[in-house]
Amino acid sequence: MSCSGRKRRRRTVSRLPNQKGMEFKLVVAVRKDIRISPGKMAAQVAHAAVSCAMKAKGSKKELYSDWMREGQRKVVLKVEDLVELEQIERLAAAAGLITDKITDAGLTEVPPGTITCIGIGPAKEADIDRITGHLKLA
Amino acid sequence: MSCSGRKRRRRTVSRLPNQKGMEFKLVVAVRKDIRISPGKMAAQVAHAAVSCAMKAKGSKKELYSDWMREGQRKVVLKVEDLVELEQIERLAAAAGLITDKITDAGLTEVPPGTITCIGIGPAKEADIDRITGHLKLA
């Protein structure tokens, strides 16, 4: 539930979960070009995480169990905009990873139908990093 | 995935999901007395949401299905500190609601073992509001 990828912002690199022997993670990439409160963003990220977890539980049971056993690690990253989000989605889908793109109902902070974030995984860290390893932490 | 409770901050009250006929929700209450980045907070909230959803899927299947069918609405609220978080937890447990308190591994931003948030539900909105209706949106 922490940092990952090639670019790291914090000085706690030596204590990152992936250096603690954790092999699996779920990533959620959020758009940074939309104005959204931290609580709303958290709800969107949670939506992506629940949807991806349920997909994994249904179709990739072993992967799901491995990820849960490790503590269901999650990493929240940011993408520039919808273009980058959908580029990530295509790459992840082509790699056979679980994805779930979240469209907000637009009841409060954003227009109806706004795509806010995408969940990728759970999957092996290396498989996800090939696609999202260049993204920064949200 | 929006506002609820007695105190509301935004002017979009008339368009809130619970006025769109939505009956179920999952609430995550986060501590506002700990310093944590929006991304880290989102990951903690997602952790609570996944854990509560899985508990519901296992032990309250009908409730889980109802909540999912409605779009798995989530609301992120804030509590003052650990004391208030645990007070909420006791009340929710006493009311028979699903709860899941999240303890962070403390690998990056907070000391190991820090309790960051609590998930409550999914449950009927009225049942959750009796316990968290006074809390503000995060």
Side-chain angles (χ1 to χ4, degrees):
Chain A
M1 202 172 291
S2 175
C3 180
S4 74
R6 274 173 259 145
K7 294 180 182 177
R8 289 174 177 135
R9 291 186 312 180
R10 298 191 186 90
R11 290 187 301 171
T12 46
V13 173
S14 65
R15 298 163 65 212
L16 292 174
N18 56 345
Q19 295 178 321
K20 289 273 183 182
M22 297 175 89
E23 195 182 353
F24 303 91
K25 69 179 174 185
L26 182 153
V27 157
V28 182
V30 300
R31 284 174 63 183
K32 62 180 189 181
D33 64 326
I34 53 175
R35 275 181 60 87
I36 193 168
S37 67
K40 177 82 172 177
M41 184 180 103
Q44 299 285 306
V45 168
H47 200 114
V50 170
S51 295
C52 285
M54 291 303 174
K55 283 187 180 182
K57 190 171 167 64
S59 65
K60 299 193 178 194
K61 289 187 198 304
E62 194 175 342
L63 190 58
Y64 169 81
S65 298
D66 289 339
W67 173 67
M68 285 299 278
R69 192 166 42 242
E70 274 193 356
Q72 49 159 305
R73 186 157 68 105
K74 298 174 204 71
V75 183
V76 184
L77 305 172
K78 53 191 175 186
V79 289
E80 289 295 327
D81 49 27
L82 183 59
V83 172
E84 188 173 23
L85 186 150
E86 293 188 331
Q87 188 178 35
I88 297 294
E89 181 187 31
R90 283 191 295 275
L91 292 171
L97 302 179
I98 289 170
T99 67
D100 202 88
K101 199 164 59 176
I102 302 305
T103 302
D104 188 64
L107 295 163
T108 49
E109 296 182 30
V110 293
T114 300
I115 292 167
T116 55
C117 63
I118 184 169
I120 301 175
K124 284 198 173 184
E125 174 149 59
D127 293 338
I128 295 189
D129 283 352
R130 265 181 225 114
I131 292 153
T132 65
H134 61 294
L135 301 177
K136 291 184 179 172
L137 286 175
Chain B
M1 203 172 294
S2 176
C3 180
S4 75
R6 276 172 260 143
K7 293 180 183 178
R8 289 173 176 135
R9 291 186 313 182
R10 298 189 188 91
R11 290 187 301 169
T12 48
V13 173
S14 64
R15 297 163 66 212
L16 293 173
N18 56 345
Q19 295 179 320
K20 290 271 184 183
M22 297 176 89
E23 196 182 353
F24 303 92
K25 68 180 174 184
L26 183 153
V27 158
V28 182
V30 300
R31 285 174 62 182
K32 62 179 188 181
D33 65 326
I34 53 175
R35 275 180 60 87
I36 193 168
S37 67
K40 176 83 171 176
M41 183 179 106
Q44 300 285 307
V45 168
H47 200 114
V50 171
S51 296
C52 284
M54 292 303 176
K55 283 188 181 182
K57 191 171 167 64
S59 64
K60 299 193 177 194
K61 289 187 199 306
E62 194 175 343
L63 191 56
Y64 169 80
S65 298
D66 288 339
W67 173 68
M68 286 299 277
R69 191 167 43 242
E70 274 193 356
Q72 50 158 305
R73 186 157 69 103
K74 299 172 203 74
V75 182
V76 184
L77 306 172
K78 52 191 176 186
V79 289
E80 289 295 327
D81 50 27
L82 183 58
V83 172
E84 188 173 23
L85 186 150
E86 293 188 330
Q87 187 179 36
I88 297 293
E89 181 187 32
R90 282 191 295 275
L91 292 170
L97 301 179
I98 288 169
T99 66
D100 202 87
K101 198 164 59 177
I102 302 305
T103 302
D104 188 67
L107 296 162
T108 49
E109 297 183 28
V110 293
T114 299
I115 292 166
T116 55
C117 63
I118 184 169
I120 302 174
K124 285 199 172 183
E125 174 149 59
D127 293 338
I128 295 189
D129 282 352
R130 264 179 225 115
I131 291 153
T132 65
H134 62 293
L135 301 176
K136 290 184 180 172
L137 285 174

